[in-house]
Amino acid sequence: MEWIRPDDTGYDEARKLFNAMIDRRPAVIAQCGNPNDVGEALRYAHEHRLDVAVRSGGHSVAGMSMNDGGLVIDVRPMKTVTVDAAAQTATVGGGVTWGEFDRAAQPYGLAVTGGRVSTTGVAGFTLGGGSGWMERSWGLACDNLVSVDLVTAAGELVTASEQENPDLFWALHGAGGNFGVAVSLTFRMYQVGEQSLAGLMLWPADAAPDVARAYRDFAPDAPAGVGTALASVIAPPEEFVPADLQNKPALGVVFVHAGEPGTGEAALETVRSWGPAADVVAPRPYAEFQSMLDDQPDQFNYWSAEYHDEFPDPALDVFLRSGAKLPHPSSQLLLIPWGGAVAEVYGTSTPMARRDATWVSHPFALWQDPAQTEAAIAWAKGFRRDISDFATGGVYLNFIGHEGQDRIKAAFGEENYNRLARIKHQYDPLNVFRGNQNIEPAA
């Protein structure tokens, strides 16, 4: 294990997060290569009365994987990926990112629902639920967990699965890092073959109302194996974009088909019939597609989200108005269809409430100039305010930052939250792991 302190070379690089808004200075960063290292770091934090944060990919938009003056358990050295092609499973270390996982599984023609940004950590993404392009066909990432090995607040290495510690295993399906440090995760995998049909299509702003309505009617019933999203963007100055559309507001559809070969073409032709001005959907390795839409590093980030049972024309009007006022060319406004395999698991089967939502809207503010911070955050909050009449009140916590305890409870519902609080009391009664969307231990 390597201990990194403020005077050490590499300290600034070790504390750097995806969100450039976050500039925190922990007293010590413990880079852990195995479960014993994690236990030692936890003991050190207890002895020195240091707050604890856990860092893997570092993609928490609120910077929950870093703290000021405390100890950060950095699991990035845990980079193993083992694929069992015969069993169609894979086991990854707690520090693996989705890009690393996807590339390791691609030679076997296998994948599982992963992050839409390839630098996201597998562990935090999955334990928070795991919403990705293939969720309607394969379920959320957490739905495909076979087991999780984690180190508890007491420094004990435990395995959670349907057979071992089943209550803890249930809690790890969406309640995040409240219960320990994940050092290993095993997943069920799915066939994607050598190539998937995937990419992006763009339309100019004047076509957006018609395309948005066509998409709204198409996406909830898209065939198995098809993943999509509607995105208000600023068209990039890239060769595949017509010159008269570059750097202007545009509407995009992300399309991926990772099902049976030959079954995605009809769905793709439906979307193409809407006449995109730019179209880069083509056969490519699934792992390549998974990194196509990665954001540039060193940008400021502020995100939020809402669930919707319906998205009628007035809601689409709100979406399009907000999407026409993106605060920066890197910002996006996403509308993501749920249903399918996501909705097949609901109620108290996992901690996440309202999984039967039909849509998730996701204002994704990114910018580069600190002077734009106030306007960018106001844009994201303004969308939430304007869309509130069409929202259910549910929320996917991986899509938001610090929005208060009421939003955390809304993500789980009262019954699930109370059960989580009891499990939290069992595994972390002193709330050591509170640097997250925190569940407070039951009294």
Side-chain angles (χ1 to χ4, degrees):
M1 177 165 61
E2 183 176 1
W3 300 89
I4 302 177
R5 294 179 169 84
D7 292 337
D8 292 334
T9 301
Y11 173 76
D12 285 336
E13 183 62 28
R15 70 185 181 88
K16 183 179 179 181
L17 299 178
F18 176 76
N19 186 357
M21 283 183 69
I22 310 302
D23 184 20
R24 294 181 180 153
R25 301 183 65 84
V28 59
I29 299 170
Q31 293 194 322
C32 301
N34 56 59
N36 289 335
D37 289 350
V38 175
E40 182 181 345
L42 286 167
R43 286 190 294 274
Y44 183 92
H46 177 73
E47 291 168 4
H48 293 83
R49 299 184 178 181
L50 296 174
D51 286 344
V52 172
V54 182
R55 190 252 169 82
S56 178
H59 267 256
S60 162
V61 70
M64 296 174 186
S65 43
M66 195 60 55
N67 61 27
D68 279 316
L71 179 143
V72 174
I73 295 174
D74 185 345
V75 298
R76 283 178 293 174
M78 301 185 196
K79 289 290 191 186
T80 58
V81 180
T82 304
V83 179
D84 185 333
Q88 211 159 299
T89 62
T91 300
V92 304
V96 174
T97 66
W98 277 105
E100 293 163 344
F101 188 7
D102 290 331
R103 288 190 294 272
Q106 182 68 63
Y108 301 91
L110 296 173
V112 68
T113 304
R116 294 179 175 91
V117 175
S118 70
T119 53
T120 303
V122 171
F125 173 90
T126 301
L127 300 184
S131 172
W133 299 119
M134 296 309 299
E135 61 200 0
R136 295 185 67 253
S137 298
W138 301 342
L140 302 175
C142 70
D143 298 332
N144 293 291
L145 281 172
V146 175
S147 65
V148 180
D149 292 339
L150 78 166
V151 179
T152 68
E156 179 186 3
L157 178 64
V158 300
T159 297
S161 68
E162 291 183 354
Q163 292 76 37
E164 297 181 76
N165 303 302
D167 271 4
L168 177 60
F169 190 56
W170 174 85
L172 298 178
H173 285 66
N178 273 282
F179 310 96
V181 181
V183 294
S184 176
L185 304 93
T186 299
F187 295 88
R188 288 185 295 274
M189 305 292 282
Y190 297 84
Q191 292 287 342
V192 292
E194 294 182 4
Q195 303 277 311
S196 298
L197 192 59
L200 172 70
M201 289 172 271
L202 293 172
W203 288 260
D206 59 4
D210 289 339
V211 173
R213 284 158 178 74
Y215 175 84
R216 186 264 320 274
D217 297 338
F218 159 82
D221 298 314
V226 171
T228 64
L230 188 70
S232 286
V233 299
I234 302 296
E238 299 287 350
E239 184 177 343
F240 74 90
V241 180
D244 60 352
L245 184 55
Q246 292 180 11
N247 299 310
K248 293 181 180 178
L251 191 69
V253 171
V254 180
F255 183 98
V256 56
H257 176 259
E260 289 295 322
T263 62
E265 284 77 359
L268 177 58
E269 287 309 310
T270 296
V271 181
R272 280 182 168 156
S273 72
W274 307 336
D279 181 351
V280 289
V281 178
R284 50 175 47 91
Y286 178 79
E288 176 187 312
F289 164 72
Q290 278 288 89
S291 60
M292 275 184 67
L293 303 178
D294 285 0
D295 302 307
Q296 295 179 6
D298 302 324
Q299 299 195 91
F300 295 80
N301 284 251
Y302 182 90
W303 317 335
S304 194
E306 294 287 353
Y307 286 175
H308 311 273
D309 288 337
E310 298 178 325
F311 217 75
D313 287 354
L316 278 177
D317 293 340
V318 171
F319 179 89
L320 294 172
R321 283 197 302 270
S322 292
K325 300 176 182 178
L326 297 175
H328 185 272
S330 297
S331 297
Q332 306 163 24
L333 180 57
L334 301 179
L335 184 64
I336 299 167
W338 269 19
V342 177
E344 291 170 5
V345 181
Y346 60 92
T348 58
S349 300
T350 69
M352 299 172 64
R354 306 193 187 196
R355 287 183 50 160
D356 55 348
T358 305
W359 301 97
V360 181
S361 62
H362 184 21
F364 199 75
L366 291 88
W367 66 101
Q368 295 172 345
D369 183 352
Q372 297 176 300
T373 296
E374 184 176 347
I377 293 175
W379 170 79
K381 290 183 174 180
F383 172 76
R384 273 199 65 208
R385 180 191 62 242
D386 295 344
I387 205 70
S388 61
D389 287 346
F390 309 100
T392 67
V395 65
Y396 171 57
L397 292 178
N398 273 1
F399 277 176
I400 72 170
H402 284 301
E403 294 188 3
Q405 203 68 15
D406 287 346
R407 285 280 267 175
I408 296 173
K409 291 180 178 179
F412 303 117
E414 183 177 5
E415 181 180 353
N416 286 354
Y417 183 87
N418 290 340
R419 181 179 174 187
L420 288 169
R422 293 192 295 271
I423 298 170
K424 175 78 170 182
H425 177 79
Q426 179 181 353
Y427 287 95
D428 184 14
L430 299 180
N431 205 11
V432 171
F433 300 115
R434 57 182 176 273
N436 45 42
Q437 300 285 10
N438 193 230
I439 295 159
E440 298 171 353

